């Protein structure tokens, strides 16, 4: 079968590779669409030739899991793979796989695993409740756009932080009560989803409400953080929560359930998947370049054919 593999020069090449060899708890899926994430694009930059990226997968089960778990042959599914997803076929753990509702385009379903699950689980890590004030940094990004919508569905008062104000109207339509450029340091929030790192994380630690939570899940700025300990510990009971998706899902065991929920919301028109760039996998270089140059607002998707 064919797959996109690292070419050893920072990009990808379409090559013949071995068929997937699934574990007993893994199904083999014929992949129809994948979405791209920052860590895949970042890792590719220095990956050895032959490395196989790909976590976000939507397609059809061609070989159900040997242990009987998951969906049967022919079922349309969306799944979080442990790599190797940018391929004609991929082995995916059924614990991170859900049926994709009829009518949900695979290109939209493929946006859900990493970005959707990160948004959902990070909000839960912060203990999301209806009366919470939630701040989302990187709100124009793939995770941020899902987080704004999911927090707003719950009834939270959502503030979206962006770098470009022209994205404001769009985020208000998705549920943000206000859109700001830069951190609104005079305010307090019960949950802060923080993915920029550097000065943004430092500001977040000073803006969290007593008993509130800063969920740190990224460092897009690639900057270290220096923060004023006094402005943090004076918020009695506030927490800094370190979030990484795979260990979080392994610990909670909610991957399939959460993915089914996200897919149902997307299919029902209640969760916008924000596909900003959709192209053939033969044109993966264009999508990778667009992500690296920060020209994608939301998600980039490749169709596998
Ligand atoms: N811990 C985990 O398990 C996990 C899971 C998923 C994602 N992540 C991380 O979370 C972050 C967001 O992921 P994503 O998929 O949403 O990425 P994305 O779609 O590329 O969005 C990145 C967001 O951050 C903003 N941004 C980027 N660099 C910035 C900077 N230097 N200063 C201020 N804003 C900046 C972007 O604004 P512009 O659009 O204006 O550039 C955009 O809003 C990434 O760092 C990713 O690696 C972690």
């Amino acid at each position: 079968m064919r797959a996109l593999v690292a070419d050893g020069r920072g990009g990808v090449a379409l090559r013949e590779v071995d068929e997937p060899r699934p574990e007993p708890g893994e199904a083999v899926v014929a992949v129809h669409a994948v979405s791209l994430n920052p860590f895949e694009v970042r890792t590719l930059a220095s990956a050895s030739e032959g490395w196989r990226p790909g976590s976000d997968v939507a397609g059809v089960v061609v070989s159900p899991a040997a242990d009987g778990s998951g969906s049967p042959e022919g079922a349309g599914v969306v799944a979080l793979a442990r790599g190797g997803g940018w391929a004609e076929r991929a082995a995916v753990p059924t614990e991170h796989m859900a049926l994709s509702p009829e009518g949900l385009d695979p290109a939209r379903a493929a946006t859900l695993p990493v970005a959707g699950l990160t948004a959902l689980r990070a909000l839960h890590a912060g203990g999301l409740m209806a009366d919470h004030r939630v701040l989302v940094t990187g709100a124009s990004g793939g995770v941020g756009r899902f987080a704004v919508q999911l927090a707003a569905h719950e009834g939270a008062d959502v503030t979206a932080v962006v770098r470009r104000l022209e994205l404001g109207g769009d985020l208000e339509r998705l549920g943000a009560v206000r859109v700001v450029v830069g951190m609104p340091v005079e305010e307090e929030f019960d949950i802060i989803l923080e993915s920029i790192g550097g000065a943004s994380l430092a500001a977040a630690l000073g803006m969290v409400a007593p008993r509130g939570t800063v969920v740190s899940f990224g460092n897009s700025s690639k900057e270290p953080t220096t923060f004023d300990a006094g402005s943090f510990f004076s918020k009695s009971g506030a927490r800094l929560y370190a979030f990484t998706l795979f260990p979080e899902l392994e610990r909670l065991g909610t991957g399939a359930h959460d993915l089914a929920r996200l897919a149902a919301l997307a299919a029902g028109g209640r969760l916008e998947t924000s596909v900003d760039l959709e192209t053939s996998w033969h044109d993966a270089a264009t999508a990778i370049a667009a992500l690296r140059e920060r020209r994608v607002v939301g998600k980039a998707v490749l169709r596998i054919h």
Side-chain angles (χ1 to χ4, degrees):
M1 69 166 190
R2 295 169 301 164
L4 286 171
V5 306
D7 63 8
R9 300 187 306 277
V12 286
L14 198 55
R15 298 255 171 89
E16 280 296 322
V17 300
D18 292 341
E19 288 288 334
R21 284 192 293 274
E23 301 286 330
E26 292 182 334
V28 177
V29 172
V31 183
H32 293 174
V34 299
S35 88
L36 287 69
N37 292 289
F39 75 87
E40 292 154 344
V41 172
R42 261 196 321 266
T43 307
L44 264 179
S46 56
S48 308
E49 189 173 358
W51 179 66
R52 298 268 316 275
S55 298
D56 286 341
V57 164
V60 171
V61 174
V62 289
S63 175
D67 69 0
S69 62
S71 305
E73 186 177 346
V77 292
V78 52
L80 179 69
R82 294 192 178 95
W86 298 0
E88 287 181 296
R89 285 173 287 285
V92 300
T94 57
E95 62 180 342
H96 298 156
M97 179 174 94
L99 279 173
S100 189
E102 214 158 295
L104 181 60
D105 184 332
R108 293 174 58 218
T111 65
L112 298 172
V114 170
L117 288 173
T118 297
L120 183 66
R121 276 293 132 208
L123 287 167
H124 277 267
L128 180 64
M129 296 197 327
D131 61 347
H132 273 165
R133 296 156 294 173
V134 174
L135 181 85
V136 179
T137 66
S140 56
V143 177
R145 294 172 72 86
F146 283 130
V148 166
Q149 295 178 78
L150 293 168
H153 286 169
E154 208 63 35
D157 179 283
V158 183
T159 299
V161 183
V162 293
R163 293 203 278 196
R164 296 173 277 167
L165 200 54
E166 65 264 29
L167 302 170
D170 195 26
L171 287 163
E172 279 172 4
R173 184 177 57 76
L174 294 181
V177 172
R178 64 195 71 76
V179 181
V180 295
V181 175
M183 296 291 260
V185 288
E186 300 304 322
E187 296 178 45
E188 278 191 341
F189 296 88
D190 302 292
I191 303 175
I192 301 180
L193 296 199
E194 214 305 297
S195 63
I196 307 301
S200 177
L201 175 57
L205 292 170
M207 291 159 59
V208 64
R211 293 178 303 285
T213 306
V214 177
V215 183
S216 166
F217 66 94
N219 187 20
S220 294
S221 70
K222 302 180 187 67
E223 295 292 335
T225 297
T226 303
F227 74 99
D228 173 11
S231 68
F232 180 56
F233 72 65
S234 61
K235 308 295 181 64
S236 179
R239 300 181 306 150
L240 172 61
Y241 188 100
F243 180 98
T244 307
L245 181 61
F246 278 94
E248 196 78 9
L249 291 178
E250 304 288 341
R251 188 169 61 79
L252 298 169
T254 57
H257 173 269
D258 289 344
L259 261 182
R261 180 175 161 207
L262 293 168
L265 286 171
R270 298 190 56 225
L271 186 66
E272 198 166 289
T273 49
S274 305
V275 176
D276 187 41
L277 189 162
E278 181 180 337
T279 189
S280 158
W281 70 332
H282 295 283
D283 197 22
T286 299
I288 291 167
L291 282 163
R292 285 185 175 146
E293 291 158 21
R294 300 243 34 87
R295 286 186 276 112
V296 178
V297 179
K299 296 297 297 174
V301 170
L302 302 178
R303 286 201 181 265
I304 310 297
H305 53 92

